[in-house]
Amino acid sequence: MKTAYELSKEIIQTVKPACSYGGSDYEAWKVSARAKLSSLLGIDKLTKVAPETVIEFDKIDNGVREIRFTYQSEKGYRVPCHMLIPEGVKKPPVMITLQGHSTGMHISLGRPKYNGDENTISGGDRDFCIRAVKEGYAAIALEQRNFGECGGTPSGPNCFESALTNMLMGRTTIGERVWDVSRLIDVLETEFSGIVDISNIGCMGNSGGGTATAYIAALEDRIKLAMPSCAVCTYKDSIGAMRHCACNYVPSIANFFDMDDLIAMSYPKYYVQVSGKDDPIFPLFAAEAVFNKGKAVYEQFGDGDKCSLVIGNGGHRFYADDAWPIVHKYMK
């Protein structure tokens, strides 16, 4: 006799998304699809407030300027960030970096704090900010909800209770994370436009950070380039096929979209999908299927060269040496 979970996994294999792009009248579809996606994410439940940005320190060390700041994204909730700016680069482009399920944004900064952090960093190119600065970018480490300083623990993130409580109210953790990045861009425009190039903003992340990046790319037009890593895959073969953190789940989304639709909504921004050849939780065959279907929208408008798939020779991690040359090709 099959279990209830086995039945659920069988059913999701048969679900056909009702709002997937059909190949015509793209602009009208994009407007309605974004509205539906935003509603599914519960973004309509979030209220914009004054950011009340606070700069906690601004210092220069080893040729890198570091600004630690916080801002308010919802009433009473503050988001901590570190921005690293390479000295001698006038108004560099910006790369917003989002860690996956780890102990926090200090991983992006290459600063181990807890046992196991050094292996997390060295074992998967997860020191995103360090590499971005070397590539000439102003790099921002943003602490995602339930990670690190925003509710995590020394052993890792603490998403479960928060994600489920959100679902009781029509909110989602993914929606909150998208919201926080959009509010960060507001802060960049009002507080830091004199020192960074706000017309050239990228967003990247691995695993849970890649998931947030994919949704941000679908909804946020101020992002010029998106680079989600080890996160973009069919729902039925990834989060619908095995246990994942509760923060990955958006109620009813498989009834309306699959992740190729997120790529379709991202057009015309530059899109770099990174996947691991041996990633066990976002399997390559399904990641390739999503990418190829999403890229077809770019190709429809003659922009197939703005959408790239990087396949790393390994598992569930980022592949900096493979991905960054594509970023430079696009962002010039």
Side-chain angles (χ1 to χ4, degrees):
M1 185 170 67
K2 69 182 65 172
T3 66
Y5 185 33
E6 288 170 340
L7 176 62
S8 296
K9 290 192 288 185
E10 285 182 9
I11 293 171
I12 198 171
Q13 295 294 320
T14 67
V15 171
K16 303 297 182 185
C19 296
S20 285
Y21 178 54
S24 61
D25 202 357
Y26 170 76
E27 292 299 335
W29 172 83
K30 184 174 180 177
V31 170
S32 63
R34 280 182 159 183
K36 182 63 178 179
L37 178 61
S38 183
S39 176
L40 289 168
L41 292 174
I43 290 177
D44 58 328
K45 303 293 193 298
L46 307 179
T47 302
K48 191 172 181 178
V49 295
E52 299 178 1
T53 305
V54 175
I55 295 177
E56 297 183 359
F57 66 73
D58 185 343
K59 64 183 182 180
I60 297 175
D61 187 31
N62 292 323
V64 177
R65 181 180 180 184
E66 180 175 0
I67 305 172
R68 156 86 185 203
F69 64 95
T70 69
Y71 63 94
Q72 183 178 232
S73 67
E74 287 190 86
K75 186 174 178 57
Y77 179 77
R78 300 193 67 82
V79 183
C81 297
H82 287 250
M83 179 160 58
L84 305 184
I85 306 172
E87 280 267 274
V89 180
K90 184 177 180 181
K91 295 190 71 170
V94 179
M95 184 63 75
I96 299 168
T97 72
L98 306 173
Q99 276 300 318
H101 284 73
S102 67
T103 53
M105 68 175 171
H106 57 275
I107 300 296
S108 291
L109 299 167
R111 299 171 185 168
K113 291 172 62 175
Y114 306 113
N115 289 336
D117 282 354
E118 290 187 7
N119 290 334
T120 298
I121 295 167
S122 63
D125 294 340
R126 293 183 178 91
D127 51 349
F128 301 146
C129 287
I130 301 300
R131 182 60 179 261
V133 167
K134 289 179 180 178
E135 301 290 344
Y137 279 69
I140 300 176
L142 178 150
E143 195 77 279
Q144 295 201 89
R145 300 201 190 200
N146 309 310
F147 293 179
E149 297 179 38
C150 293
T153 71
S155 60
N158 188 18
C159 304
F160 184 78
E161 291 85 355
S162 179
L164 295 189
T165 301
N166 275 334
M167 291 180 191
L168 293 175
M169 303 177 289
R171 294 168 61 115
T172 67
T173 298
I174 291 176
E176 292 175 335
R177 292 171 179 168
V178 171
W179 178 264
D180 289 348
V181 172
S182 290
R183 302 290 68 78
L184 170 61
I185 297 174
D186 293 344
V187 170
L188 291 176
E189 291 176 339
T190 59
E191 303 290 336
F192 299 111
S193 61
I195 59 174
V196 299
D197 184 359
I198 60 171
S199 68
N200 280 301
I201 299 175
C203 186
M204 65 173 290
N206 185 71
S207 192
T211 298
T213 299
Y215 284 92
I216 291 159
L219 294 173
E220 178 55 77
D221 285 331
R222 293 173 294 177
I223 295 288
K224 187 174 182 179
L225 176 142
M227 184 161 57
S229 172
C230 290
V232 181
C233 193
T234 56
Y235 293 131
K236 65 185 179 67
D237 297 302
S238 56
I239 64 173
M242 63 196 81
R243 182 172 181 171
H244 281 253
C245 181
C247 69
N248 286 281
Y249 296 85
V250 177
S252 294
I253 194 167
N255 291 322
F256 300 98
F257 303 111
D258 208 337
M259 291 197 87
D260 58 274
D261 296 304
L262 304 186
I263 301 175
M265 285 181 236
S266 301
Y267 179 78
K269 61 175 59 70
Y270 296 114
Y271 199 91
V272 184
Q273 177 180 321
V274 180
S275 298
K277 179 174 68 69
D278 302 314
D279 189 340
I281 58 175
F282 293 95
L284 182 60
F285 78 92
E288 288 181 314
V290 160
F291 173 79
N292 290 332
K293 193 171 180 181
K295 185 178 180 178
V297 174
Y298 281 71
E299 292 172 336
Q300 176 181 337
F301 297 102
D303 286 324
D305 60 349
K306 296 177 69 174
C307 188
S308 295
L309 174 63
V310 173
I311 300 176
N313 187 27
H316 188 72
R317 50 161 293 181
F318 185 56
Y319 298 88
D321 289 341
D322 298 321
W324 270 102
I326 308 297
V327 174
H328 286 304
K329 182 183 77 171
Y330 286 157
M331 299 285 273
K332 299 180 177 60

